Amino acid sequence: MIPEFPVRVSQALGNERVRRNIRRTMDGLVLKRHKAFPDEHELAVLRRRGKLIRGHALAHLPDLLEELERNCQRNGIQVHWAETAAEGNALVRDILRRHGADLVIKGKSMVSEEMGLNHYLEAQGIRAVETDLGEFILQLGDERPSHIIAPAIHKDRVEIAQRFAAHFPEYPYTEDIEGLTAIARRIMREHFGRAIAGLSGVNFAVAETGTLCLVENEGNGRLCTTAPQVHIAVCGIEKVIARLDQLPPLLTLLTRSATGQPITTYVNMISGPRREGELDGPREVHLVLLDNGRSRIHGDPQLSSTLRCIRCGACMNHCPVYSRLGGHAYGTVYPGPIGGVLEPQLQGLDRLGELADASSLCGACGEVCPVRIPLPALLRRLRAEGVRGRQGSRVVGQGSRRKPLHRLIWTLWRWVNAYPSLYRGLTGLGTRLRWLMPKHLGPWTRTRSAPALAPRSLHELARSEGFRGE
Amino acid sequence: MEKPLSVYFFGTCLIDMVLPQAGLAAMRLLRREGIEVIYPQGQTCCGQPAYNSGYDAEARTVARCQLDAFSRDIPVVVPSASCAGMMKVQYPKLFAGTPDQERAEALARRVVELTDFLARVLDWRPVDRGAPLKVVLHQSCSARREMGVADAAKDLLARLAHLETVEPDHAHECCGFGGTFAVKQPEISAAMAADKADAILATGAQVLVSQDAGCLLNLGGTLERRCPDAAAQPSPRPAVKHIAELLWERTHDS
Ligand code: SF4
């Protein structure tokens, strides 16, 4: 059982080491992004473009998905549809079984995390080996990613060195990054040589050409998608875009927002299995398109903007809450502001509605999002649906976060503030009786001194200084 | 916007009850510039606390009260970017599709945050009568983002000849107030406030100012706890003031 959110928050805030690691990396990523967009005007233009391209794709989603399927099939890619994570898992298993694969090498894929694919396959007797360095480190400790693009940022070099030493005693102990990478590379290479199947995610799927685009920095993605006989790509249905010429602006937004890179070291454009006469490449390419709640989100005109997300992670990097908690405290696959918006929609407000409260609504996420998702507005809307519900909304768990006490407080608040004479009477009384005010005001005064009520309210002062009161 | 003959002043509920001297300072500043300042006695709260907690109906009822109180076609000056943002950016959304939509949009157009009004509309050029002082400026998230008026506060302070103004490390980051956030997520809020308070202390400034009373309450309270001895060395605790108080203090004949 994962402990409740407030418990996880306490644990996260109490872990100095993790906090330091995360903060350091977040500060670094924020700075890199900042430097990558030196021209504010260009950034504004690009973000508008990004929003339009993704918005256009979502507006034509069913048609584009059909076009994608047709063009993929024409390219020799086998297309499969999964409505749920369970269906997706079963599809992947069947493909692997058909080829007698007991091992699959994996490039980084958040959708496979969402499906819980690794554990599912393991229970089916198939070993899934992560080959992204961060994911590889986490898999050794059966940990979940704490960030969507930098999964192991909560770990520092020394922790990684110790973990390697425990798992690979045959290699000499090192804390040197090059040395650690070399060990990982050597171990992975054995898997690359042996595996007959590789699995990857997809950053963008181009409908017009039936091309799957995948960006990465380590080359492991290229190996997973080209070295084995079979390549399986898992992809959320929202990742489709209409045309190939829409890719460059999205890619530059993605990489610059994510890591500040003008482009990643590897940009893989996958357009089918090995053709006649070609010397390498997989014999089979499969595309598994996963819905898993996305079409429900898509049906809501405002919430569907959630699906514009290109998973750059910038909203997390800039979030003052995420940068103090790290991803694990959220207890979900997608953490941070996008997690607070997406996860309650995927899993219901009754289960995860509290994540929408884990924001001061400071607006930092909305300000940096490369596709201009109005994250603060969506968080606020989900709060409202949690406490009251909204007619016609398809988000599960409407009104499930209603608490009678809160309801009462806000009703009283409304009474006081909706009747100016009552308000003036009470504030006047409050300032006069301010010595009665408690020194302890619940959570507020745990770390702060209590605010003192003024001897006279501004209403009174304004009157006595002769300001017209209308 | 041109310099108006009269303006409304929306004091905000927080300033009304906890920091009225800031509201009064702002109104005096405006009056001294020859503007008639009207403080409708029918004003209460902008409604943001309920709105941000998801209680839209309650927020709307209270917000409607402000539509009534500020009905004439003159600017509404607000000494808080957060409350100004609520009225300027959120009211049109809150009342969309209701009979009050037009009134809400009209009010939204008339709302001006105080420092923005002083710096841009009045192009206020004060004479600094104060002694040299080091000030640390904390800008609220609403000032930076929702309202986009962070430049105004900086500008105003720069126009005071004897001030040295600095910003804390991680200046762009939220102080952790967030209205009901501070109560709903007390631990996260406290962690954010603690970091901000330390960054403020590290500047060694004598005074902390902001255009938002919420941040000041949060940071002032946290500073007091983290640094109980106000004169502690090497970084004494700064005095905490709303920017309007500082501007008034340093520019009026006493
Ligand atoms: S919501 Fe925006 S900022 Fe956050 S990961 Fe998605 S695209 Fe990036």
Side-chain angles (χ1 to χ4, degrees):
Chain A
M1 242 321 259
I2 312 165
E4 297 286 312
F5 183 59
V7 179
R8 296 196 303 267
V9 165
S10 292
Q11 286 169 351
L13 290 174
N15 193 330
E16 279 298 326
R17 186 171 192 175
V18 169
R19 272 183 73 176
R20 223 181 16 250
N21 293 343
I22 289 175
R23 185 73 208 218
R24 192 183 47 229
T25 319
M26 293 303 101
D27 282 353
L29 288 172
V30 165
L31 189 69
K32 282 183 187 152
R33 174 190 175 274
H34 183 73
K35 287 192 179 147
F37 290 113
D39 181 346
E40 256 178 59
H41 177 70
E42 188 223 1
L43 172 60
V45 171
L46 260 179
R47 288 177 73 221
R48 206 159 338 141
R49 216 156 148 216
K51 173 185 169 181
L52 279 175
I53 295 172
R54 294 292 301 130
H56 171 269
L58 292 170
H60 302 88
L61 190 61
D63 292 341
L64 287 179
L65 284 170
E66 277 178 27
E67 190 184 343
L68 176 72
E69 179 179 38
R70 266 197 316 276
N71 288 328
C72 280
Q73 284 168 344
R74 209 194 45 214
N75 291 340
I77 299 173
Q78 303 180 40
V79 180
H80 313 264
W81 300 90
E83 206 181 313
T84 61
E87 277 182 38
N89 283 332
L91 278 165
V92 173
R93 176 204 56 197
D94 291 347
I95 299 167
L96 293 173
R97 285 241 174 100
R98 219 172 27 247
H99 291 273
D102 58 357
L103 169 73
V104 56
I105 50 173
K106 279 186 71 195
K108 190 167 160 34
S109 152
M110 288 311 292
V111 166
S112 77
E113 289 287 337
E114 189 182 325
M115 291 158 56
L117 181 67
N118 290 8
H119 285 130
Y120 171 85
L121 288 180
E122 200 179 290
Q124 307 279 321
I126 301 170
R127 186 164 169 220
V129 175
E130 296 287 353
T131 64
D132 171 271
L133 186 57
E135 298 279 0
F136 177 82
I137 293 164
L138 295 185
Q139 197 177 27
L140 295 175
D142 198 20
E143 275 185 278
R144 299 231 307 223
S146 63
H147 188 283
I148 61 171
I149 61 149
I153 39 151
H154 55 288
K155 293 253 164 294
D156 55 46
R157 201 154 41 103
V158 179
E159 287 171 281
I160 296 165
Q162 287 162 355
R163 185 169 283 185
F164 273 33
H167 282 84
F168 315 116
E170 62 276 23
Y171 292 95
Y173 182 85
T174 172
E175 288 179 7
D176 172 54
I177 293 181
E178 295 284 316
L180 290 167
T181 315
I183 296 175
R185 195 177 288 135
R186 219 162 304 151
I187 291 158
M188 278 183 221
R189 221 165 253 164
E190 291 166 28
H191 296 304
F192 283 128
R194 205 169 69 76
I196 52 173
L199 187 133
S200 75
V202 174
N203 291 102
F204 301 102
V206 185
E208 169 185 58
T209 54
T211 310
L212 311 178
C213 174
L214 179 68
V215 294
E216 40 126 3
N217 280 317
E218 296 171 10
N220 67 308
R222 177 151 306 169
L223 273 169
C224 288
T225 56
T226 54
Q229 297 288 308
V230 185
H231 167 216
I232 307 170
V234 291
C235 177
I237 52 170
E238 84 282 16
K239 290 285 173 68
V240 68
I241 57 170
R243 298 191 314 269
L244 196 61
D245 65 7
Q246 295 173 331
L247 198 55
L250 288 180
L251 282 181
T252 192
L253 273 171
L254 172 61
T255 59
R256 288 203 267 174
S257 302
T259 53
Q261 292 172 285
I263 190 168
T264 43
T265 320
Y266 294 84
V267 178
N268 303 287
M269 302 289 283
I270 298 158
S271 48
R274 182 191 301 201
R275 304 227 157 86
E276 281 259 319
E278 287 180 347
L279 293 177
D280 51 15
R283 304 266 176 202
E284 272 181 28
V285 177
H286 297 264
L287 173 65
V288 176
L289 286 160
L290 178 74
D291 184 326
N292 205 28
R294 287 165 172 78
S295 36
R296 196 178 56 230
I297 298 174
H298 184 251
D300 185 293
Q302 190 194 15
L303 295 176
S304 64
S305 61
T306 313
L307 301 176
R308 291 207 294 263
C309 177
I310 57 173
R311 304 279 190 264
C312 71
C315 57
M316 303 165 202
N317 305 346
H318 290 75
C319 176
V321 174
Y322 176 91
S323 63
R324 284 181 179 77
L325 296 181
H328 286 163
Y330 292 79
T332 48
V333 171
Y334 304 99
I338 183 63
V341 167
L342 178 61
E343 293 282 2
Q345 294 186 64
L346 290 179
Q347 304 201 39
L349 290 160
D350 42 345
R351 293 186 56 195
L352 290 176
E354 61 190 339
L355 294 186
D357 280 339
S359 162
S360 63
L361 300 183
C362 74
C365 51
E367 185 180 39
V368 296
C369 176
V371 285
R372 297 179 53 164
I373 302 175
L375 292 159
L378 298 182
L379 288 168
R380 211 204 61 77
R381 173 167 162 190
L382 292 172
R383 290 180 186 181
E385 295 196 11
V387 294
R388 170 94 14 94
R390 173 183 173 122
Q391 233 171 11
S393 174
R394 296 166 79 189
V395 182
V396 174
Q398 294 289 311
S400 60
R401 302 188 34 75
R402 181 182 302 142
K403 296 210 180 81
L405 176 65
H406 292 171
R407 192 64 186 273
L408 179 69
I409 290 172
W410 288 115
T411 305
L412 288 174
W413 173 89
R414 188 196 65 202
W415 273 93
V416 173
N417 287 286
Y419 296 98
S421 45
L422 180 62
Y423 171 91
R424 280 198 303 273
L426 281 176
T427 49
L429 194 67
T431 49
R432 232 145 264 133
L433 299 179
R434 67 186 190 286
W435 47 274
L436 277 179
M437 185 147 139
K439 283 271 164 289
H440 300 283
L441 296 171
W444 176 271
T445 42
R446 240 176 267 154
T447 54
R448 303 170 188 85
S449 52
L453 288 179
R456 294 175 75 200
S457 72
L458 185 58
H459 276 74
E460 292 176 60
L461 291 173
R463 263 201 310 272
S464 58
E465 285 228 359
F467 288 100
R468 236 175 82 193
E470 282 221 312
Chain B
M1 189 183 281
E2 285 187 8
K3 179 176 170 178
L5 293 173
S6 1
V7 297
Y8 281 127
F9 192 79
F10 176 62
T12 80
C13 62
L14 209 54
I15 284 186
D16 190 19
M17 285 183 281
V18 185
L19 229 59
Q21 67 275 22
L24 201 58
M27 293 202 290
R28 285 170 172 169
L29 280 172
L30 298 172
R31 180 153 71 181
R32 198 179 54 194
E33 294 306 302
I35 298 170
E36 183 200 21
V37 180
I38 303 167
Y39 184 92
Q41 288 284 325
Q43 62 180 283
T44 61
C45 165
C46 68
Q48 183 169 215
Y51 182 68
N52 280 353
S53 302
Y55 288 83
D56 293 18
E58 286 79 356
R60 210 174 289 119
T61 309
V62 168
R64 200 172 289 121
C65 208
Q66 315 324 313
L67 299 185
D68 295 339
F70 299 95
S71 55
R72 282 204 289 137
D73 187 19
I74 53 173
V76 182
V77 178
V78 184
S80 153
S82 170
C83 308
M86 176 69 192
M87 299 170 109
K88 200 169 188 65
V89 182
Q90 306 300 337
Y91 274 15
K93 298 183 195 166
L94 183 63
F95 287 102
T98 74
D100 290 309
Q101 180 172 347
E102 238 174 80
R103 282 210 299 160
E105 285 167 1
L107 174 59
R109 279 193 295 274
R110 291 186 279 120
V111 166
V112 202
E113 187 269 337
L114 173 71
T115 59
D116 189 32
F117 187 80
L118 290 172
R120 190 174 48 87
V121 181
L122 299 188
D123 192 20
W124 188 53
R125 302 278 161 183
V127 178
D128 188 356
R129 299 170 193 272
L133 186 74
K134 186 170 176 184
V135 172
V136 54
L137 170 64
H138 166 73
Q139 309 248 29
S140 70
C141 298
S142 314
R144 278 188 198 283
R145 306 196 178 95
E146 192 169 42
M147 291 294 288
V149 296
D151 287 348
K154 233 176 157 165
D155 259 19
L156 286 177
L157 295 179
R159 290 178 198 177
L160 291 174
H162 307 141
L163 282 192
E164 181 199 350
T165 307
V166 292
E167 287 190 274
D169 186 34
H170 283 89
H172 287 258
E173 198 172 79
C174 175
C175 72
F177 176 63
T180 48
F181 172 75
V183 182
K184 274 199 177 157
Q185 301 290 342
E187 290 194 63
I188 307 174
S189 167
M192 289 160 68
D195 288 349
K196 185 65 83 183
D198 289 347
I200 287 167
L201 280 174
T203 63
Q206 295 144 282
V207 178
L208 161 68
V209 292
S210 172
Q211 62 282 79
D212 272 85
C215 309
L216 289 175
L217 233 55
N218 177 39
L219 292 172
T222 305
L223 281 165
E224 227 171 282
R225 276 295 170 82
R226 288 184 89 70
C227 188
D229 174 10
Q233 292 301 327
S235 38
R237 188 175 81 218
V240 176
K241 284 181 185 156
H242 189 278
I243 193 167
E245 288 176 82
L246 183 82
L247 294 176
W248 173 253
E249 266 172 33
R250 298 186 69 87
T251 57
H252 84 285
D253 300 296
S254 46

